[in-house]
Amino acid sequence: QVQLVESGGGLVQPGGSLRLSCDASGSTLPLYVIGWFRQAPGKGREAVSCFSTSDGNKYYADDVKGRFTISRDSAKNTVYLQMNSLQPEDTAVYYCVADSSWYGSAWYKPELYDYWGQGTQVTVSS
């Protein structure tokens, strides 16, 4: 059973930075994608970023491009999300996700991912 454990959330002022971490364990199959979704109050889950081990590329939602950076430490099986220039609209619960399939251009669809972490709260407020 795949376990994804997030850490690093918290309260930050607008314009500030946070780094989220996701530790993955327990997979008996290769994980071809690992990344991040988020869910703001009253909204559905939306894609933030992912790293595809299938094609080696990184993918970002349009509203985080240039501000967020995903990276991976394969030795530790850990994925990071460096979030800079945070804004109040980035406030959400952030979830680490993974799957043993790669969905290409459909990567942003939450229903495709089998594995989810418990989430970590990010609040951007002055």
Side-chain angles (χ1 to χ4, degrees):
Q1 180 68 22
V2 175
Q3 289 189 323
L4 305 172
V5 179
E6 305 99 334
S7 60
L11 173 65
V12 63
Q13 292 186 342
S17 299
L18 280 176
R19 188 177 81 155
L20 304 182
S21 300
C22 172
D23 294 315
S25 63
S27 178
T28 58
L29 295 173
L31 295 175
Y32 286 111
V33 58
I34 187 164
W36 298 89
F37 277 67
R38 67 186 180 186
Q39 186 168 21
K43 295 187 177 181
R45 294 182 176 186
E46 64 174 9
V48 175
S49 178
C50 77
F51 179 84
S52 168
T53 60
S54 178
D55 62 16
N57 291 326
K58 301 175 183 179
Y59 295 79
Y60 297 95
D62 287 343
D63 56 352
V64 306
K65 282 180 183 176
R67 300 189 299 125
F68 292 9
T69 302
I70 192 169
S71 61
R72 178 172 174 252
D73 184 334
S74 56
K76 295 181 179 179
N77 235 9
T78 300
V79 171
Y80 304 96
L81 184 69
Q82 178 66 43
M83 305 185 294
N84 298 329
S85 301
L86 284 162
Q87 300 301 318
E89 52 266 34
D90 295 315
T91 295
V93 178
Y94 283 69
Y95 296 93
C96 182
V97 300
D99 204 278
S100 53
S101 297
W102 170 237
Y103 302 105
S105 59
W107 72 273
Y108 61 92
K109 296 182 177 182
E111 63 269 25
L112 297 177
Y113 291 83
D114 284 341
Y115 308 115
W116 291 74
Q118 81 286 355
T120 185
Q121 177 70 46
V122 171
T123 302
V124 185
S125 175
S126 56

